[in-house]
Amino acid sequence: MKLLWSCKNVMLIRQGANRDELADRHLATSLAAVAGALNAAAFYAVGFFSANMTGNVSLLSDHVAIGDWLGAVLYFGIVLAFILGAASCTLILRVCQRRTFQGSHAFLVLLEAMLVLPLAWIDMMPATQTRVAILVGGLAFIMGLQNAIVTHISEARVRTTHVSGMATDLGMEIAVALDGLRRGRHDQDNGKNSRKILLHGSTMIAFLAGGILGVVVYRHIGALLFAVVSIILVAIATNGLRRLAR
């Protein structure tokens, strides 16, 4: 139990090779559940995905092909917002690194919480195209920010805002495991492979569970879901910052 709590405390503090599989898994499942909740709730509310850039780029190409320029601008805006979120995160991290500022990843999660909170007020606005554009664009920026945070701190071992990469990694690791079983190999690589399968599998399950819970909660409390998510992100961030304060 002490080890489990320690890993939770360092999941936003230790970076790259200094991290272990348990810290990566706690980071992945926590933030994947948040991303799943926001992505699914946004789709339920306004019919757009905020984190699925593959689908949004495909829809952008469809709208350009049929000459629907208004729709094309909307989807282009979603993709651009995601990119700007990732770019903003990276710029902040680079500045923090040059100034040897500790806890930058935890502070960025705290920033994410602050950006999520106003979405509750935006979601309460009258149902107009402006509300949809601000809500989805804001969420896309936040998802880009979050994905850059976890990509940077884990050195690309973890993804939390979309499933395609996780599913690809999971499929590859399953194939490696099956090939090892077929050849009757039992070495230290088996343990590493099993841990990767657990990481990617648990991340996908967390994203799915977060999506289900997000829609259920949104149906009951509406826009207040964003306030709840903001509180969860604050708890995740402050948990890491307390570790630095010791």
Side-chain angles (χ1 to χ4, degrees), residues 16 63 110 166 204 207 224:
H63 284 277
L110 199 58
M166 304 178 215
M204 290 182 65
F207 190 93
L224 290 178

Side-chain angles (χ1 to χ4, degrees), residues 112-125:
E112 181 183 354
M114 294 171 62
L115 293 173
V116 169
L117 187 58
L119 296 180
W121 174 72
I122 292 169
D123 192 43
M124 294 178 186
M125 293 169 57

Side-chain angles (χ1 to χ4, degrees), residues 2-243:
K2 185 177 180 181
L3 175 63
L4 183 66
W5 178 248
S6 176
C7 288
K8 287 182 177 180
N9 279 342
V10 302
M11 70 178 182
L12 282 170
I13 303 302
R14 293 178 182 170
Q15 182 178 345
N18 294 322
R19 300 175 61 80
D20 58 24
E21 289 89 354
L22 196 54
D24 274 349
R25 193 157 68 248
H26 283 140
L27 175 69
T29 52
S30 299
L31 293 185
V34 167
L38 291 176
N39 205 38
F43 184 79
Y44 178 82
V46 295
F48 291 90
F49 285 118
S50 57
N52 182 9
M53 293 305 109
T54 303
N56 287 327
V57 171
S58 296
L59 288 166
L60 169 61
S61 65
D62 287 347
H63 284 277
V64 170
I66 64 176
D68 179 8
W69 302 112
L70 183 60
V73 168
L74 175 60
Y75 285 106
F76 175 77
I78 295 172
V79 175
L80 180 62
F82 188 93
I83 294 171
L84 290 175
S88 299
C89 173
T90 304
L91 285 172
I92 293 171
L93 286 171
R94 289 177 68 86
V95 171
C96 291
Q97 283 181 328
R98 285 196 294 270
R99 298 182 179 180
T100 63
F101 178 75
Q102 292 186 318
S104 53
H105 298 92
F107 275 107
L108 279 165
V109 172
L110 199 58
L111 173 62
E112 181 183 354
M114 294 171 62
L115 293 173
V116 169
L117 187 58
L119 296 180
W121 174 72
I122 292 169
D123 192 43
M124 294 178 186
M125 293 169 57
T128 63
Q129 290 183 342
T130 301
R131 166 182 169 266
V132 171
I134 296 174
L135 184 63
V136 179
L139 280 173
F141 181 92
I142 291 166
M143 291 295 96
L145 177 81
Q146 179 180 302
N147 208 40
I149 293 169
V150 296
T151 299
H152 185 270
I153 197 172
S154 69
E155 294 185 346
R157 290 191 299 271
V158 175
R159 295 285 196 277
T160 60
T161 64
H162 53 280
V163 175
S164 299
M166 304 178 215
T168 301
D169 292 340
L170 179 60
M172 292 172 66
E173 294 302 331
I174 289 174
V176 170
L178 291 174
D179 183 58
L181 288 173
R182 182 183 64 85
R183 297 170 60 188
R185 291 182 58 188
H186 299 284
D187 52 29
Q188 61 181 2
D189 289 337
N190 288 351
K192 184 178 180 181
N193 173 248
S194 298
R195 290 191 295 270
K196 286 183 177 180
I197 290 174
L198 181 59
L199 171 64
H200 302 311
S202 60
T203 306
M204 290 182 65
I205 291 171
F207 190 93
L208 172 64
I212 295 170
L213 188 60
V215 173
V216 170
V217 173
Y218 186 86
R219 291 183 64 184
H220 283 82
I221 65 174
L224 290 178
L225 167 72
F226 298 107
V228 172
V229 170
S230 180
I231 292 170
I232 292 171
L233 288 169
V234 168
I236 292 172
T238 53
N239 190 33
L241 292 174
R242 278 200 301 267
R243 175 78 177 191

